Amino acid sequence: MEPLSPEDSAGATQSVADDEQRVYLVPYRWWKEAQNALTSTSASDLCGDKGILYSASPSSSYAGPMKLINNIFGSDLLFNLRREEVNSNDNASSGEVGVSGRDYALVSGEMWLQALKWHSDSKNAMKRIGSFSVGSVDISDVYPLQLRLSVLREANSLGVKISKKDNAAELFRRACKIFNTEADLLHIWDFSGRTSLFFANDNSSPAKDILRQLDQEILLELQIYGLSDSPRSRDGKREEFSELATVASSSSSASTTMNGSTGNSYRFPRTNSYTFSSSPAESGSLGLTGLQNLGNTCFMNSALQCLAHTPRLVDYFHGDYNKEINHDNPLGMDGEIALAFGDLIRRLWAPGATPVAPRTFKSKLSRFAPQFSGFNQHDSQELLSFLLDGLHEDLNRVKLKPYVEAKDGDGRSDEDVADEYWRNHLARNDSIIVDICQGQYRSTLVCPVCKKVSVTFDPFMYLSLPLPSTTMRTMTLTVMNTDCSSMPTVVTVSVPKYGRGEDLVKALTTACSLRIDETLLVAEIYNHRIIRFLEDSADSLSLIRDEDRLVAYRLPKATEKESIVVFTHQEMEKHNVHGKAFGIPLVARISDNINGSDIYNLFKKLLNPFLMPSEDDLDDQDASKSTAAENLVENNTDPITTTESSDAKLTNDEEVSLAADSEFEFYLTDDKETLKNSKIEMVDPVTSEDLPKRLNVAVFWPEKKTEIYDTVLLSTLPEIFKSGYLAKRPQEIVSLYRCLEAFLKEEPLGPEDMWYCPGCKQHRQASKKLDLWRLPEILVSHLKRFSYSKYTKNKLEAYVDFPVDDLDLSMYIANKNSQPSFRYVLYAISNHYGSLGGGHYTAFVHHGGGRWYDFDDSNVYPISEEKIKTSAAYVLFYRRVADI
C-alpha cells in the first residue's frame, strides 16, 4: 500500500505502509490454484498464511469526514466490508464461498510475484518455452485504484469509499464493476495481513491510536491485477480482450494437470467473438466466455452454459473435487466425465478467457453416451439428464452401496415414511449433485378396480412439466337426439389425453346441457355399424384414434323393463335383400311389450329430422301459411297440413298405416349384424325371448325412400380430430404455474405404463397423483415442448409466462415443514428455436446486478430482462432464495 496525500485532506489521511510494500487485488481462484500447488510442495511462503474473510454489502452512509456534498450525483462508490469468523482449524484458503468469480484476494507484492511465476511456469511447460521473467509482465494488466477506508468499530467492519476525485474516470468505472455490491455476494480474502492492523488488539499499537479517531480516513492504493476488462484500443478501433500478463488466463491449462485429466489444453486463436451494444467493459467479465460450435453442438453448449453458471456447482469444480471421484462405482465413468466437465468449467471462468472449444468434453461424452456421438442435432434436456446423472455417479461419496428395502407405511405418518425413504436414498447416493439438485415427491397410485392405494416417496433431479395443451386432447363427436326434436349436432370437447370414458361423458354432459332425466350412450361407428359402446367408465380414451368416429346418443334414463334398439340402414337391391350399408345407426329405448308396428313407428319417428320437404310444399309454403292463418281466425280451429306423400312428419303419438309404408323391411340381426332370416311383420309381437338387452334391427331402404329423406345428412360423421396443416392457430399463452398444476394433477396412467396392483394381482390403468414433498436448492424445470406419436412428431410453440424474480411454490408443496423457503429466482434458460429435429439452441444467463446475457455458441451478447421470456424457453434453472 502506498500512502497518498490528497489535496483536501492531508491532515486527516494517514499512511499504513511504505513505498516498497504494495498490496494486489487478484481473482481468488487464480490465487488459490497457485497456493494449493505450492502448498503441496512446501516450496513457498504462500503456505500457511491464514486469511481474513470480509463480506461486502451496500452502504448508504459513510463514517469518514470526506463524504462529498455531490454524492447525490453518484460521484462515490460506498460499501462496507464486514469481517467474518472463520474456523481456526481451517486454512482460509480452503474456504469455498462466494458465487462464480465474485471472490477476490488481497496479497502482498512478494506473494503476487510467486503466484505469477507459478502460473507462468505452468503455461510455459505446456508450450515448452522459456521460464518466467518479471519483465514480461505487461504493465497495462496492472493498474492502481485508490480507496478511502474508515473503521466501523462497533460493527467490526471497514467502510470503503471509492471516488472519482481520487481516480481517473476509466479506473473508477472499472471499480464500480469490480465492487458492485448490488450483484451477487462479494467476498474478499486478505492474505497480506495489512487489514489486521486496523483491528489490532494491542492497546499500545500506533495503528490503534490512529484508528481511535473516527473522523480520520486511511487512503490506500491497491494494485489491481487479473481483473482488466477493457479492450485495448489501437488506431482508434476497439479490439479483442486484453490478455492477462503472462499466464493469468492459463489457469485452465494448469487445472488440467492438477485434476489429472488426460485431455489437451490447446488454446485456439483469439477471435472477436463478443459483440456488445453496451459498455465494452462488459466483455472481459469472468464467466462471459463462449463455447465454440463443433458441428451441431449448440444443444450441448446451451446446457453447459446453464450448468457453468450454477453458483455452487462452479465453486465446487474450482475446488479440490478430485478427492471425491469414485473410481469404484460401476454406474460411473471412472471420473472421466467429472474431470472433463471440471476442466471445462475452469476454462470458462479463467480471467481473460477466449471462446473455448469443448473437444475433450465432447469426446468423453460420445464415448460414454454414444447417442450423442457424431454431429447430429440432439436435445439439450436429454444431454442435461445424462450429464447430471453421470456427474452424480462419478462423484458419489458412497463407495459401497448398502441394500435397502422400501417398507410400507403401516399406518405411519407421511412425514416419517418420507424421511425414511430419503435416508435410504442418501445411504446409496451422496454427491454434490444430490446436495443441490435433487428433491423428493410423493406418488399416490389408486387401483380403479379394488381401490388399493400405494404411496411412495421418490427422488427427482428435475421436473418435466407438460404444457397444458399436451395433457389434453380435443374430440369431435356427433350428438343424436332420440326424441326427434332436432337434427344431429357436432360437438367438440377437451378431455385428458390419457383420460377415461367417464371424462368424455362428463365433458359432453356439460357441452350438451344434459337434463337430469337424460343420459348419454357413446358408440364407435365403423362402416356404418356400431362396433362397440363405451359403457365402461374406466375405458381408456387413448385407445380412440384421431381418425375414429364416435356418436353420442342422447337417451332418457332407462327403467328396469326397457331395452335398446339399434337400427342400421341398408340399400335394398333388386333380387338381393343383402344390400350396401349406409348412414349413422339410430338408437332408441323400447319397452318389453312391443310388436312389429311399434318398431316401425319408432323408426319413422327417428327419421323425422331427416325428412326433406317436397317441391310442392316449398312452392305452396307461403300461401298455405296465410290461408291456414285466416281459417284459424275465422273458424277458431287448428290448421291441418295435407300432403300427397305417405311419409309426412309424425308426432310422438302418431302411427302410420301399414299399407302406405310397407316399402321398408325390417330384419332381426345378431350382435355381428348377421341376418337371422326373421323378417319382422307388422302385426307380429316381439316376444321376450326375441328381446335381449339390445335389439339389433337391419332396415332395408327402397330407392324411393332414399329420395325423400336426407341420406347425406344421415351419413355425415366427422372424425375425432382432423388436423389442419394449413390452418394458422393463434399462439397459446400459459403460465408456468399452470404447467406445474398439470404435472401435479391426478390422471390415469397411460396404457404403456400400467401398474401391477398387489390387490388385484393384475396390471391396471391406475390413477396417479404427484405432490412436491422436498424441494432442491437448484430447481430445474423442463418444459415438454416435443410430443411424439407412432406417426407424427410435433413441437409446441406455446408461450410460457414464467416468473423471473419470485417463483413461489408454497402453494404446491405438500410438506410445509420440509424447508424454510419455497421461493426461487431464475438464473438461466436453455432455449430452442425452430422446428423439431433441427433448429438452434442458445442460453440466457443471469450474471448478477440484473444483467442478463445471451450465450449463442461463441458469441455472448447482453440482453435486457424484458426479452428473456420467449416461446423458445425450453429448460428453466431456478435457485432458492430466502423468504422476504
Side-chain angles (χ1 to χ4, degrees):
M1 302 180 189
E2 295 184 352
L4 301 176
S5 299
E7 299 174 359
D8 58 345
S9 58
T13 304
Q14 303 293 329
S15 170
V16 294
D18 56 42
D19 291 341
E20 296 180 357
Q21 290 292 332
R22 294 194 175 204
V23 174
Y24 288 77
L25 182 74
V26 298
Y28 172 77
R29 293 188 180 97
W30 178 84
W31 158 256
K32 185 184 175 185
E33 286 184 351
Q35 186 191 42
N36 287 345
L38 295 174
T39 299
S40 63
T41 60
S42 300
S44 170
D45 292 337
L46 298 180
C47 316
D49 289 325
K50 293 185 177 180
I52 299 176
L53 173 62
Y54 294 94
S55 295
S57 60
S59 174
S60 59
S61 60
Y62 184 70
M66 298 303 298
K67 184 166 71 172
L68 303 179
I69 59 174
N70 61 345
N71 186 45
I72 59 175
F73 299 106
S75 297
D76 293 345
L77 174 64
L78 305 176
F79 61 94
N80 293 337
L81 290 176
R82 181 170 59 87
R83 184 171 177 173
E84 303 286 354
E85 294 296 330
V86 180
N87 192 323
S88 60
N89 296 325
D90 297 335
N91 187 295
S93 65
S94 65
E96 289 296 336
V97 296
V99 177
S100 310
R102 296 285 292 162
D103 302 346
Y104 306 128
L106 290 174
V107 297
S108 66
E110 182 181 0
M111 295 176 175
W112 175 72
L113 286 174
Q114 290 190 45
L116 195 63
K117 181 179 184 302
W118 178 85
H119 278 287
S120 178
D121 290 344
S122 298
K123 179 178 180 181
N124 292 343
M126 296 294 294
K127 293 187 175 182
R128 299 181 180 179
I129 59 178
S131 60
F132 168 75
S133 171
V134 177
S136 65
V137 178
D138 191 335
I139 192 63
S140 65
D141 292 317
V142 184
Y143 60 90
L145 191 65
Q146 299 174 24
L147 290 75
R148 295 177 181 269
L149 305 180
S150 65
V151 178
L152 310 178
R153 295 173 57 85
E154 69 282 3
N156 202 23
S157 302
L158 293 175
V160 181
K161 177 170 67 176
I162 304 175
S163 176
K164 283 184 178 179
K165 184 174 182 180
D166 299 326
N167 299 277
E170 174 64 16
L171 300 184
F172 179 78
R173 183 193 57 76
R174 296 187 188 183
C176 290
K177 180 169 182 58
I178 294 172
F179 298 106
N180 178 16
T181 55
E182 299 298 328
D184 295 321
L185 190 61
L186 170 65
H187 290 93
I188 297 178
W189 290 89
D190 179 17
F191 296 96
S192 69
R194 297 298 180 264
T195 60
S196 60
L197 297 176
F198 306 156
F199 304 104
N201 293 323
D202 184 1
N203 291 333
S204 63
S205 169
K208 181 84 172 183
D209 296 336
I210 294 174
L211 297 179
R212 277 201 190 99
Q213 304 178 32
L214 297 182
D215 61 343
Q216 292 185 340
E217 289 180 333
I218 302 101
L219 186 59
L220 305 177
E221 180 176 283
L222 291 182
Q223 303 298 319
I224 310 298
Y225 173 76
L227 302 173
S228 176
D229 59 357
S230 178
R232 298 174 187 171
S233 178
R234 182 180 301 163
D235 298 330
K237 296 182 179 179
R238 189 170 57 181
E239 296 184 352
E240 59 205 37
F241 305 108
S242 59
E243 189 173 7
L244 296 179
T246 57
V247 292
S249 64
S250 70
S251 57
S252 60
S253 300
S255 65
T256 304
T257 305
M258 291 166 59
N259 294 328
S261 173
T262 58
N264 296 326
S265 295
Y266 178 74
R267 304 289 293 186
F268 287 84
R270 193 189 313 270
T271 60
N272 290 323
S273 59
Y274 292 80
T275 305
F276 290 90
S277 58
S278 59
S279 169
E282 305 272 72
S283 61
S285 298
L286 289 172
L288 296 183
T289 307
L291 286 167
Q292 292 184 11
N293 193 319
L294 306 179
N296 271 337
T297 57
C298 58
F299 76 97
M300 180 182 74
N301 293 347
S302 173
L304 287 175
Q305 290 290 8
C306 293
L307 290 180
H309 290 81
T310 300
R312 280 190 60 188
L313 207 57
V314 175
D315 292 334
Y316 175 85
F317 280 99
H318 274 87
D320 187 14
Y321 66 93
N322 279 26
K323 60 185 179 182
E324 293 195 343
I325 291 180
N326 190 336
H327 297 281
D328 302 321
N329 188 355
L331 300 178
M333 286 149 277
D334 198 27
E336 293 193 42
I337 284 292
L339 289 168
F341 180 77
D343 175 65
L344 191 60
I345 291 292
R346 295 188 178 208
R347 295 173 68 187
L348 288 174
W349 282 93
T354 55
V356 175
R359 299 185 187 277
T360 301
F361 178 83
K362 178 65 165 61
S363 174
K364 302 293 184 184
L365 180 68
S366 301
R367 175 185 169 192
F368 293 106
Q371 65 268 31
F372 297 116
S373 61
F375 300 99
N376 292 326
Q377 183 68 278
H378 295 283
D379 191 316
S380 67
Q381 187 274 331
E382 291 179 0
L383 170 71
L384 182 70
S385 176
F386 168 80
L387 183 54
L388 288 177
D389 187 65
L391 291 175
H392 159 64
E393 296 296 352
D394 268 2
L395 300 168
N396 197 344
R397 303 177 185 111
V398 179
K399 307 302 180 183
L400 183 61
K401 295 184 177 182
Y403 172 77
V404 293
E405 184 176 357
K407 300 179 182 179
D408 291 334
D410 295 330
R412 293 179 294 166
S413 66
D414 281 351
E415 289 78 6
D416 291 339
V417 178
D419 289 343
E420 181 180 72
Y421 269 86
W422 190 248
R423 288 193 301 271
N424 291 343
H425 176 67
L426 294 183
R428 297 172 55 85
N429 303 275
D430 183 16
S431 69
I432 181 64
I433 303 300
V434 175
D435 293 344
I436 66 175
C437 292
Q438 285 197 354
Q440 186 184 36
Y441 59 74
R442 178 177 63 190
S443 175
T444 304
L445 293 171
V446 180
C447 176
V449 178
C450 70
K451 305 304 179 182
K452 168 71 176 178
V453 178
S454 173
V455 179
T456 57
F457 293 85
D458 304 310
F460 66 85
M461 192 88 74
Y462 51 85
L463 300 179
S464 284
L465 304 181
L467 275 63
S469 56
T470 65
T471 63
M472 305 292 288
R473 65 181 293 196
T474 59
M475 299 182 70
T476 299
L477 299 88
T478 299
V479 178
M480 303 284 288
N481 290 285
T482 60
D483 62 357
C484 314
S485 62
S486 62
M487 307 282 281
T489 57
V490 176
V491 176
T492 300
V493 294
S494 294
V495 293
K497 188 173 183 179
Y498 296 109
R500 300 191 182 99
E502 60 183 353
D503 298 313
L504 176 59
V505 172
K506 183 178 180 180
L508 287 171
T509 298
T510 303
C512 298
S513 301
L514 203 68
R515 298 193 306 266
I516 193 171
D517 61 341
E518 291 182 309
T519 186
L520 289 173
L521 180 61
V522 182
E524 182 179 349
I525 311 298
Y526 180 73
N527 281 344
H528 309 288
R529 290 178 171 86
I530 295 176
I531 60 173
R532 67 173 179 134
F533 287 94
L534 279 68
E535 295 180 286
D536 189 348
S537 61
D539 283 348
S540 174
L541 297 182
S542 63
L543 300 178
I544 301 175
R545 302 168 301 176
D546 287 347
E547 58 269 24
D548 291 340
R549 290 173 166 85
L550 296 185
V551 173
Y553 296 98
R554 189 167 180 168
L555 299 167
K557 288 187 176 179
T559 63
E560 293 183 1
K561 296 184 179 182
E562 286 186 326
S563 300
I564 289 177
V565 60
V566 178
F567 297 100
T568 55
H569 316 282
Q570 290 184 240
E571 296 176 355
M572 185 181 296
E573 298 180 359
K574 215 170 193 184
H575 308 299
N576 182 14
V577 75
H578 301 284
K580 180 181 177 182
F582 70 95
I584 304 172
L586 302 178
V587 175
R589 292 201 185 278
I590 55 175
S591 61
D592 56 350
N593 296 316
I594 60 171
N595 57 26
S597 179
D598 296 326
I599 292 178
Y600 181 81
N601 289 329
L602 178 60
F603 178 70
K604 291 286 290 183
K605 291 178 184 180
L606 295 176
L607 281 182
N608 198 34
F610 302 96
L611 183 64
M612 295 188 296
S614 64
E615 293 183 2
D616 292 338
D617 289 338
L618 293 175
D619 293 338
D620 299 335
Q621 186 175 18
D622 294 336
S624 62
K625 282 184 179 180
S626 60
T627 303
E630 292 174 0
N631 292 336
L632 179 63
V633 173
E634 293 179 2
N635 302 323
N636 195 23
T637 57
D638 295 334
I640 299 175
T641 303
T642 61
T643 177
E644 297 297 329
S645 173
S646 62
D647 293 295
K649 291 189 177 181
L650 305 172
T651 63
N652 288 343
D653 298 326
E654 187 178 359
E655 296 186 2
V656 298
S657 64
L658 303 182
D661 295 284
S662 59
E663 294 89 346
F664 282 114
E665 294 184 1
F666 298 83
Y667 289 82
L668 292 178
T669 66
D670 57 19
D671 291 337
K672 296 182 180 179
E673 301 293 332
T674 302
L675 292 179
K676 295 182 178 180
N677 292 324
S678 55
K679 182 178 179 180
I680 301 176
E681 300 295 342
M682 295 303 157
V683 295
D684 292 342
V686 180
T687 63
S688 58
E689 290 80 9
D690 297 326
L691 193 62
K693 181 180 179 182
R694 186 171 299 124
L695 184 66
N696 298 296
V697 178
V699 182
F700 288 85
W701 288 56
E703 183 177 355
K704 162 182 168 178
K705 296 297 184 182
T706 61
E707 295 174 355
I708 61 176
Y709 288 97
D710 190 348
T711 55
V712 174
L713 177 61
L714 184 61
S715 301
T716 301
L717 193 59
E719 295 180 353
I720 289 295
F721 178 77
K722 188 76 172 179
S723 57
Y725 295 103
L726 301 179
K728 185 176 181 181
R729 299 181 179 179
Q731 186 179 43
E732 184 179 4
I733 300 177
V734 297
S735 71
L736 184 64
Y737 291 112
R738 276 192 61 198
C739 297
L740 184 60
E741 289 164 3
F743 174 74
L744 299 176
K745 180 181 179 181
E746 181 177 359
E747 61 181 4
L749 296 173
E752 68 281 359
D753 295 322
M754 303 285 275
W755 173 60
Y756 183 80
C757 175
C760 299
K761 306 298 182 183
Q762 293 184 23
H763 286 89
R764 301 292 189 188
Q765 191 180 10
S767 63
K768 184 176 183 179
K769 175 73 171 70
L770 294 178
D771 296 290
L772 298 178
W773 191 264
R774 190 189 311 266
L775 295 175
E777 178 181 336
I778 300 299
L779 181 64
V780 181
S781 298
H782 161 227
L783 303 178
K784 298 173 70 173
R785 291 194 176 275
F786 302 126
S787 62
Y788 305 89
S789 67
K790 185 176 180 180
Y791 304 103
T792 62
K793 299 179 181 180
N794 187 37
K795 180 190 175 184
L796 297 170
E797 297 286 354
Y799 175 88
V800 178
D801 186 10
F802 47 85
V804 175
D805 297 320
D806 188 11
L807 174 64
D808 187 359
L809 299 181
S810 59
M811 298 295 294
Y812 302 94
I813 188 78
N815 183 16
K816 303 295 184 182
N817 300 321
S818 61
Q819 57 200 55
S821 173
F822 306 109
R823 291 182 58 249
Y824 288 82
V825 295
L826 186 72
Y827 71 90
I829 308 171
S830 176
N831 301 302
H832 179 268
Y833 300 91
S835 60
L836 185 67
H840 183 60
Y841 286 90
T842 68
F844 295 156
V845 172
H846 181 256
H847 205 261
R851 300 186 305 273
W852 284 84
Y853 291 88
D854 180 1
F855 287 75
D856 186 357
D857 289 332
S858 295
N859 301 308
V860 182
Y861 308 90
I863 184 173
S864 65
E865 184 175 308
E866 293 75 20
K867 295 182 179 180
I868 65 172
K869 290 186 180 183
T870 69
S871 58
Y874 184 42
V875 185
L876 307 175
F877 293 76
Y878 286 91
R879 61 181 176 88
R880 187 167 57 213
V881 294
D883 279 329
I884 300 176

